[in-house]
Every structure is written in structure tokens, then in C-alpha cells.
Amino acid sequence: MGFGNKLSLARKKSGYSLESLSRTSRIEISRLVSYEEDRVMPRHRTLKRLSAYLHVSWYYFLKDSCYTPWLGRCSQSYADIIWDQYGKKDAMIFQDICVQAEIIPEMKQVDPHYKMDLYKSFFHSYCELKENRRHKRRDVAYENTAYKGICDR
């Protein structure tokens, strides 16, 4: 299912008509129609706004293999920050990490506060790796230690 179909489905499930979503989100109807017909892809800020009004994750809209509309506010917030700092590709990678963590059967029994701490550690480790790469610090031993730190948490 493509972006336009997912947007249309999420809009209808939330009880919005095109007109009411346009009024609420302050996005022109013609724009919404072009999104739903897959003629235009919204910018990040618009995608985040649509996600908030429709109560779905922007990751759900962008990832073909994601069938879970809401991945959780915590992972979504960290992914938004990563998108703003490093770009869409890195935000998608981070959300992939969070989705993989969620499908582990034991995660369903984990305390929500512990889950928030887990996503926070994923976030900080990911940002640390990105910053080290940005500063051309490609020390393989250091990166292996950082990756191991992510896996041990």
C-alpha cells in the first residue's frame, strides 16, 4: 500500500472528510488530494502535522512494510529529532531499530518507563555514532564498542 492509500485510509478512520482535515490542519484541499493521489509527497513538517492530526506515525506513511499505524510517541519523538538533525534516511533507520525492538516477544511485557529509557539509550547511542562519523572519527574499535553498547542495553 502506498503513501496516498495509507493517508486516505488514516483520514477516513479518524473520521475526517477532506474538507474537515483541510480546515483542521490548515492544508489546502487541493494539496491533500494531490497527496492522496500520490502526485506529490509532503515535506517533513507537513508529514509530521498530518501524522499528529490522524494519530499515526509518519514512519507508517513512508515505509511500505509497516502495517502498524502507531509505533509509540517516544520512538516517534526521537526519530523526529534525528530527522531534523541528520535527515530522513537516518530517521528511517532509527525507526527500523525501534520497530525491530518492538517485535521481540518479550518487549510486550516490558514496563513502559523502561521502554522509554531503552529508546532514549538507542537515541543517544545513534547520535553519538553519527557525530563521531561526522567528525571523521572512523575508529573501528570505538564503533564496535558503541554498537556493543547498543546491543547490551
Side-chain angles (χ1 to χ4, degrees):
M1 185 182 317
F3 171 76
N5 290 334
K6 287 183 177 183
L7 177 61
S8 177
L9 183 66
R11 177 180 57 79
K12 290 172 186 171
K13 273 190 171 182
S14 297
Y16 284 109
S17 66
L18 278 170
E19 294 81 18
S20 62
L21 181 59
S22 174
R23 251 192 331 275
T24 305
S25 65
R26 296 187 185 145
I27 299 172
E28 296 176 20
I29 292 177
S30 59
R31 255 315 182 201
L32 291 172
V33 169
S34 63
Y35 296 153
E36 287 190 4
E37 292 177 351
D38 282 324
R39 286 187 279 142
V40 178
M41 192 67 179
R43 293 187 323 187
H44 175 56
R45 187 177 308 137
T46 306
L47 187 60
K48 283 176 32 176
R49 191 169 0 144
L50 285 169
S51 295
Y53 284 113
L54 299 175
H55 305 289
V56 297
S57 165
W58 55 257
Y59 180 82
Y60 164 75
F61 285 137
L62 297 178
K63 191 79 170 180
D64 288 338
S65 62
C66 182
Y67 299 106
T68 306
W70 185 245
L71 301 172
R73 184 73 240 149
C74 188
S75 68
Q76 181 79 30
S77 298
Y78 287 130
D80 288 343
I81 294 168
I82 288 174
W83 189 325
D84 293 339
Q85 288 181 351
Y86 306 112
K88 176 182 170 183
K89 181 180 175 184
D90 287 305
M92 295 292 284
I93 291 169
F94 181 79
Q95 280 290 60
D96 284 339
I97 292 168
C98 295
V99 167
Q100 293 305 311
E102 283 293 326
I103 62 175
I104 298 170
E106 292 79 19
M107 282 295 278
K108 292 182 183 7
Q109 300 159 0
V110 172
D111 178 43
H113 294 293
Y114 179 74
K115 228 184 241 192
M116 286 175 55
D117 290 341
L118 184 67
Y119 287 131
K120 185 177 183 178
S121 66
F122 284 170
F123 171 74
H124 288 296
S125 298
Y126 192 89
C127 291
E128 187 179 340
L129 286 170
K130 288 300 294 182
E131 288 302 315
N132 287 328
R133 285 190 176 200
R134 181 181 279 178
H135 297 308
K136 306 280 191 244
R137 210 176 131 193
R138 293 190 177 249
D139 179 10
V140 175
Y142 174 78
E143 286 188 5
N144 286 341
T145 305
Y147 282 128
K148 187 174 182 327
I150 292 174
C151 295
D152 289 342
R153 293 184 181 148

